[in-house]
Amino acid sequence: MPTNNVEWTVSFSDGSGNRYTVTGAGAGSEARLVYSPVTPEESSSGTYSGGVPADVQIPPEKTSELWRRVRALESDTANHAQGRSMGSGSFHIETSAGESRFLVSMGSELSDFTSFITSLRPAE
């Protein structure tokens, strides 16, 4: 997790293409989660809906957990995908140290992360 008052962004697109963008301004502070779901018009089936958009604050303890999970997925290169395929997750991290992009293959690690980040937005 970035330190001090450094602005950062973690963008995650889940296996269905729903997008989660989390932004913050340093360690120990709240972050903002914007959830942009896939609509039926955007889905490959023409019927899938990712639900209701959300824009919520995340408390510092959840922000720390988010970073712990993102860094674990980033360092677990054995589960990285070479290309974006259905069910894989796409990550884009921006901090003052630079940018990082990686793909995670479908599996329990990605499923656990998706469950965690989904729990940060309001229930529908």
Side-chain angles (χ1 to χ4, degrees):
M1 172 179 228
T3 57
N4 302 322
N5 290 325
V6 176
E7 291 186 15
W8 55 265
T9 301
V10 172
S11 297
F12 167 65
S13 292
D14 67 18
S16 298
N18 300 301
R19 186 175 182 90
Y20 298 79
T21 304
V22 185
T23 55
S29 63
E30 286 189 336
R32 176 181 175 213
L33 166 68
V34 175
Y35 174 64
S36 303
V38 169
T39 65
E41 298 79 28
E42 299 167 322
S43 76
S44 59
S45 69
T47 59
Y48 172 77
S49 172
V52 178
D55 186 340
V56 296
Q57 293 300 115
I58 302 172
E61 64 276 5
K62 296 290 186 178
T63 302
S64 295
E65 180 64 12
L66 171 82
W67 274 105
R68 185 192 69 74
R69 289 172 181 259
V70 167
R71 291 302 190 204
L73 288 168
E74 183 179 34
S75 66
D76 185 9
T77 57
N79 283 315
H80 285 190
Q82 295 305 309
R84 182 82 156 120
S85 59
M86 189 173 271
S88 65
S90 173
F91 290 82
H92 180 200
I93 303 165
E94 295 179 67
T95 68
S96 62
E99 290 184 54
S100 172
R101 293 178 189 266
F102 59 98
L103 302 170
V104 177
S105 299
M106 187 177 355
S108 60
E109 292 83 3
L110 182 60
S111 179
D112 289 347
F113 180 82
T114 302
S115 293
F116 168 76
I117 201 161
T118 299
S119 75
L120 300 177
R121 62 184 174 92
E124 295 179 18

